[in-house]
Amino acid sequence: MLKLLKYLKPYTLELISLVALVFGSVAASLQLPDYMAAIINNGIVKSNTGLIFHNGLLMLLVALGGAVCTVGVGYLASKIATGFSRDIRNKVFSRVESFSLVEFDKFSTASLITRSTNDIQQIQTVMVMLLRMVLQAPIMGIWAIFKAYNLAPSLSWIIILAVVILLGVIFIMFAIALPKFKILQKLVDRLNLVTRENLTGLRVIRAFNNEKLEQEKFEKANVDLTTANLFVNRLMVVMQPIMMLILNLTSVLIVWIGASFINSGSLDIGNMIAFMQYAMQVIMAFLMISIVFIMVPRASVSAERVNEVIDTEPVIKDPEKPIFQDNI
C-alpha cells in the first residue's frame, strides 16, 4: 500500500490542515478531564460555586472547539480519500486501456473489473480510517498516558496492563484476519467471473440447456464468498465486546485501587476521576488502532492487486513515432 501513497502528493495542503485539526481535537478532548478534576477538588469539595461555573464555561468552550476540529477532520479525510481513490482508478483504467490480449488473459476480465471497483473501494474506506483514526490514536494515547501519569503515578500500572492485553488481542486478530482477506478478494474475482460467463454466454447456455449447471456454479461461488465474509464479520463483531470488557474491567480496577489511595489521603477524588477518563481515552485510542488493523490487511491485499495492474507493462506497445503511409 505504501507504493500508492505517492498519489497523495496533490493533497499536501489538505493533509497539513488535517494534522493541525487532529491536534486541536485531541488537545480539546484531553483538556476536559483537567477541568473536571478542578471542579471536583476545588469546586464541589470546597463549595466554591463561582469556580464551578467558571470551569464549566471553559469546558463548554473547549468542547465546542473540539467538535469543530472533529467535523473538519472528517470533512478533509473524506475529501482526500475520495480524490485519492479517483486518481488511482483513473490510473488503473488508463493502464487497462493499453493492455493487449496477453494481459487480459493474465488477469482475466473479471479480475480487472474487481480491481477497478471493489479493490479501490476497500483502499478508499481504509484511507478514510487511516486519516481519521491512525493520526489521532497515537497522539491521544501517548498524550493521555503522560497526563495520567502526572495525575496519579501510583495507578499508571493499570493502564500499562490494559494496553499490553489490548496489543495481544490486536496481534491475534491480525494474524487470523490476514489470510482470510487474501482469500476474500479471490472469491470476489470468482463470483464476477461466473456472473460474466453467464451474461456473455447466455444464448449458448440456453441452447444446450445448461441453466441448472450454471446456477450450481454461481451458487457455489456465492456461498463461498458469503462464508468468508461471515467469518471476517464475526471476527470483527467478537473484537468489539472483548475491547469493551477490557475497558470496563480497567474502570473497575481504577475505582477499586483508587479508593484505597483516597482513604489514605494520597489521592484526590477529582484526580482519580480524571485519571479514569484518561485511561478510557488510552483504551479507546488502541480500540481505534485495532479496528484499523483489522481493515488494513484487506486493503493491503487490494493495494497489491491494484499495483500489479499499474506496474504491468503491455507486451504490445504502440510505436512512439508511428510512420504513416499515404494511400496510393
Side-chain angles (χ1 to χ4, degrees):
M1 186 151 178
L2 295 176
K3 293 178 65 176
L4 294 176
L5 295 182
K6 60 185 178 182
Y7 297 104
L8 284 174
K9 190 175 181 180
Y11 307 99
T12 304
L13 183 60
E14 287 88 345
L15 285 170
I16 295 173
S17 302
L18 179 71
V19 172
L21 289 173
V22 167
F23 269 100
S25 176
V26 171
S29 298
L30 295 179
Q31 189 63 35
L32 293 176
D34 290 340
Y35 289 124
M36 179 62 68
I39 288 174
I40 295 174
N41 293 333
N42 303 321
I44 297 176
V45 174
K46 298 180 180 180
S47 300
N48 189 340
T49 307
L51 187 142
I52 294 174
F53 279 108
H54 175 72
N55 283 283
L57 181 61
L58 290 176
M59 287 182 70
L60 180 61
L61 294 176
V62 170
L64 290 174
V68 171
C69 290
T70 302
V71 171
V73 168
Y75 171 76
L76 288 176
S78 301
K79 181 180 178 181
I80 294 170
T82 51
F84 173 73
S85 61
R86 177 199 61 202
D87 296 341
I88 296 175
R89 193 176 293 109
N90 287 336
K91 185 68 176 176
V92 171
F93 184 77
S94 300
R95 178 64 70 183
V96 171
E97 279 191 315
S98 66
F99 282 172
S100 63
L101 291 178
V102 176
E103 287 77 31
F104 278 100
D105 291 337
K106 174 185 175 182
F107 291 106
S108 83
T109 304
S111 181
L112 289 173
I113 293 173
T114 305
R115 294 172 197 239
S116 302
T117 53
N118 184 269
D119 282 320
I120 294 179
Q121 184 64 39
Q122 295 298 329
I123 295 171
Q124 177 180 329
T125 302
V126 172
M127 182 58 66
V128 173
M129 298 176 68
L130 287 174
L131 293 173
R132 294 186 62 181
M133 296 183 181
V134 172
L135 284 177
Q136 182 178 356
I139 299 173
M140 178 177 288
I142 296 172
W143 200 345
I145 290 174
F146 177 76
K147 298 196 76 169
Y149 180 79
N150 288 336
L151 269 179
S154 57
L155 296 177
S156 299
W157 65 270
I158 299 175
I159 296 180
I160 296 174
L161 178 63
V163 168
V164 170
I165 296 173
L166 280 171
L167 290 175
V169 173
I170 291 171
F171 178 79
I172 293 172
M173 295 291 183
F174 187 84
I176 296 173
L178 183 58
K180 291 296 181 181
F181 282 131
K182 291 182 178 179
I183 295 172
L184 198 60
Q185 292 306 108
K186 292 181 180 178
L187 291 174
V188 173
D189 283 349
R190 176 63 183 166
L191 186 65
N192 281 338
L193 177 63
V194 173
T195 304
R196 187 172 180 276
E197 286 177 349
N198 274 277
L199 293 175
T200 56
L202 188 60
R203 294 181 179 180
V204 178
I205 292 169
R206 289 179 176 176
F208 288 93
N209 197 25
N210 280 337
E211 290 93 339
K212 187 175 181 181
L213 177 63
E214 294 300 322
Q215 287 176 359
E216 291 174 356
K217 287 172 61 179
F218 180 83
E219 182 70 19
K220 185 179 184 308
N222 193 22
V223 169
D224 290 342
L225 179 60
T226 302
T227 303
N229 269 316
L230 284 174
F231 179 87
V232 172
N233 290 331
R234 285 167 181 165
L235 185 67
M236 297 184 68
V237 167
V238 168
M239 181 187 67
Q240 188 72 19
I242 292 176
M243 297 297 178
M244 295 307 298
L245 177 64
I246 295 172
L247 188 147
N248 291 326
L249 289 177
T250 302
S251 300
V252 172
L253 192 58
I254 290 173
V255 173
W256 184 24
I257 303 297
S260 61
F261 287 110
I262 292 173
N263 288 331
S264 65
S266 59
L267 182 66
D268 294 329
I269 297 176
N271 288 357
M272 188 198 73
I273 294 176
F275 181 89
M276 186 185 302
Q277 291 181 352
Y278 286 133
M280 297 305 101
Q281 287 171 332
V282 171
I283 294 175
M284 290 304 297
F286 279 91
L287 178 60
M288 288 190 289
I289 293 175
S290 68
I291 293 172
V292 173
F293 275 176
I294 291 296
M295 296 300 297
V296 162
R298 185 171 185 180
S300 64
V301 172
S302 297
E304 289 177 8
R305 289 158 54 88
V306 171
N307 273 319
E308 192 177 359
V309 175
I310 295 175
D311 294 340
T312 299
E313 293 291 335
V315 176
I316 301 174
K317 298 181 180 179
D318 294 331
E320 295 182 1
K321 297 180 179 179
I323 300 174
F324 297 96
Q325 186 174 3
D326 295 334
N327 292 327
I328 299 176

